[in-house]
Amino acid sequence: MRFNDRSVAIKILEGDIDAFEMFIDSFKSRVFSYCLRMTNDYSIAEELTQDTFIKAYRGISAYDWHKASLSTWIYTICRNTCLNHLRDAARKPGHYDLESCEKQPSSQDDYLSLEQRICLYAALDRLTVEEREIILMKDYLDIAYHEIGQIIGIPTGTVKSRIHSIHIKLRNFLASEEYHAK
Amino acid sequence: MRNSYRHLMKNLPLEKCPPDLSLKVIQKLGIADSFSQPNRAAKPNYLAMGFYSLTGLAAVLLIAAVLTYDYAGANSQHQRLASNAASLSAQISSNMKTVFISKGAFLR
């Protein structure tokens, strides 16, 4: 894995546009999904995804393959891009753009109904930004604990304990959503 | 309707990305034009060229050493010359691999 990361990084640094396109294709879906879940706005998520890869291209010379994998590096850029946007936009927790959600193109494997998705999105939106980012990385993108710790800059043990308490919170939110839906 | 967190999160798929995202990124970076030049693929790898040149030189020295030694007979001066050529060839070969591979000549 590290040799491939190094090889890809060198090719992008040398200006290999095909390698850069392949790099984008490998990560764009996950980066976009993360941005969308963090902002709940399709067009903003698209813009933030583009910004992430633009920053990655411009900063590729700073990537050190000894310190982190390419995926950790790109997720760190993505996370910082989203946080900067949310800070600038001063979005308050609890705001949920239902119209944006309904207009989203449906994914290929849509196992959940729109109702279930709205339920989940509403529960996620009740979390703080810090809680939402960590739970999306673990439960949505399936990033390893130690990698999340590297991305956010906290110990692995802290990641695990925070996720545990967030799970309890989400279960309570969903239980109350179901109650209100009835 | 099952609304447990585990069930919902497990079945929440990744979102479909806008199809032209790669193109937009490349256009915003302005790198598309600089890579449309026809001779871009033919850009020479000078490190690899240097490696192969020295390989050729080492091979020529080795062959010359072998031939000189073969025809030197009892002439110790020629034998010494052949021995030196062979040593030089071996030294070039032993140093080349470390230097050129560490410089990334063979990453393409």
Side-chain angles (χ1 to χ4, degrees), chain B residues 69-89:
Chain B
Y69 196 88
D70 200 30
Y71 285 103
N75 188 326
S76 62
Q77 193 178 1
H78 285 143
Q79 284 182 355
R80 210 173 19 247
L81 188 65
S83 178
N84 288 341
S87 299
L88 182 61
S89 173

Side-chain angles (χ1 to χ4, degrees), chain A residues 10 15 20-21 24-25 28-30 32-33 36-37 42 46 49-50 54 57-58 104 107-109 111-112 115-116 119-121 135 139-140 167 170 174 178, chain B residues 1-26 28-29 31-32 35 40 43 101-102 104 107-108:
Chain A
I10 287 173
F20 183 53
E21 276 189 271
I24 295 175
D25 289 340
K28 66 180 181 183
S29 184
R30 298 165 75 79
F32 177 73
S33 299
L36 185 56
R37 292 286 72 81
Y42 191 88
E46 184 182 359
T49 305
Q50 290 177 24
I54 288 169
Y57 184 85
R58 289 181 177 152
Q104 290 166 23
S107 305
Q108 281 179 335
D109 305 309
Y111 299 118
L112 303 180
E115 216 174 28
Q116 285 177 309
C119 210
L120 180 59
Y121 298 159
I135 208 68
D139 292 347
Y140 190 36
H167 279 163
L170 282 168
L174 285 168
E178 215 170 308
Chain B
M1 175 179 68
R2 281 190 66 193
N3 270 359
S4 73
Y5 169 72
R6 189 176 289 275
H7 170 76
L8 293 176
M9 209 57 182
K10 191 181 166 188
N11 290 288
L12 185 67
L14 290 175
E15 298 293 335
K16 201 180 275 185
C17 206
D20 56 351
L21 185 119
S22 304
L23 183 62
K24 283 181 181 175
V25 169
I26 288 166
K28 279 188 178 181
L29 282 166
I31 56 177
F35 290 98
R40 180 176 78 87
K43 185 181 172 183
I101 288 185
S102 70
L107 286 178
R108 297 188 188 185

Side-chain angles (χ1 to χ4, degrees), chain B residues 49-63:
Chain B
M49 283 169 62
F51 175 83
Y52 291 125
S53 299
L54 283 176
T55 303
L57 178 63
V60 166
L61 281 171
L62 190 62
I63 292 168

Side-chain angles (χ1 to χ4, degrees), chain A:
Chain A
M1 172 66 80
R2 289 297 173 92
F3 177 77
N4 288 336
D5 287 351
R6 178 177 174 233
S7 172
V8 168
I10 287 173
K11 285 182 181 182
I12 295 172
L13 193 56
E14 289 175 343
D16 187 336
I17 199 167
D18 293 330
F20 183 53
E21 276 189 271
M22 279 176 59
F23 170 70
I24 295 175
D25 289 340
S26 300
F27 290 104
K28 66 180 181 183
S29 184
R30 298 165 75 79
V31 168
F32 177 73
S33 299
Y34 176 84
C35 292
L36 185 56
R37 292 286 72 81
M38 287 299 288
T39 61
N40 287 323
D41 189 305
Y42 191 88
S43 56
I44 289 174
E46 184 182 359
E47 203 176 305
L48 293 178
T49 305
Q50 290 177 24
D51 288 346
T52 297
F53 287 110
I54 288 169
K55 286 176 187 175
Y57 184 85
R58 289 181 177 152
I60 192 72
S61 57
Y63 169 61
D64 186 351
W65 52 78
H66 297 109
K67 288 186 180 171
S69 65
L70 212 48
S71 61
T72 303
W73 185 68
I74 192 67
Y75 289 140
T76 305
I77 295 173
C78 175
R79 179 214 176 215
N80 291 336
T81 304
C82 285
L83 287 180
N84 289 339
H85 165 77
L86 291 172
R87 203 172 295 129
D88 293 342
R91 285 179 70 88
K92 295 170 186 168
H95 172 83
Y96 180 65
D97 188 0
L98 176 61
E99 199 179 323
S100 178
C101 169
E102 287 176 340
K103 280 182 182 171
Q104 290 166 23
S106 59
S107 305
Q108 281 179 335
D109 305 309
D110 208 354
Y111 299 118
L112 303 180
S113 66
L114 180 62
E115 216 174 28
Q116 285 177 309
R117 280 194 286 133
I118 289 172
C119 210
L120 180 59
Y121 298 159
L124 287 170
D125 213 55
R126 289 174 70 177
L127 300 172
T128 64
V129 169
E130 291 76 22
E131 289 171 335
R132 199 168 352 132
E133 65 172 1
I134 200 173
I135 208 68
L136 286 174
M137 284 186 200
K138 185 70 195 89
D139 292 347
Y140 190 36
L141 299 182
D142 199 25
I143 298 173
Y145 287 112
H146 73 275
E147 209 176 330
I148 295 173
Q150 271 188 300
I151 294 166
I152 295 180
I154 56 175
T156 307
T158 308
V159 173
K160 289 180 180 178
S161 63
R162 283 190 192 177
I163 286 173
H164 176 72
S165 49
I166 295 167
H167 279 163
I168 294 170
K169 226 176 175 179
L170 282 168
R171 285 189 192 109
N172 292 337
F173 288 157
L174 285 168
S176 66
E177 289 289 331
E178 215 170 308
Y179 176 79
H180 287 302
K182 288 175 187 170

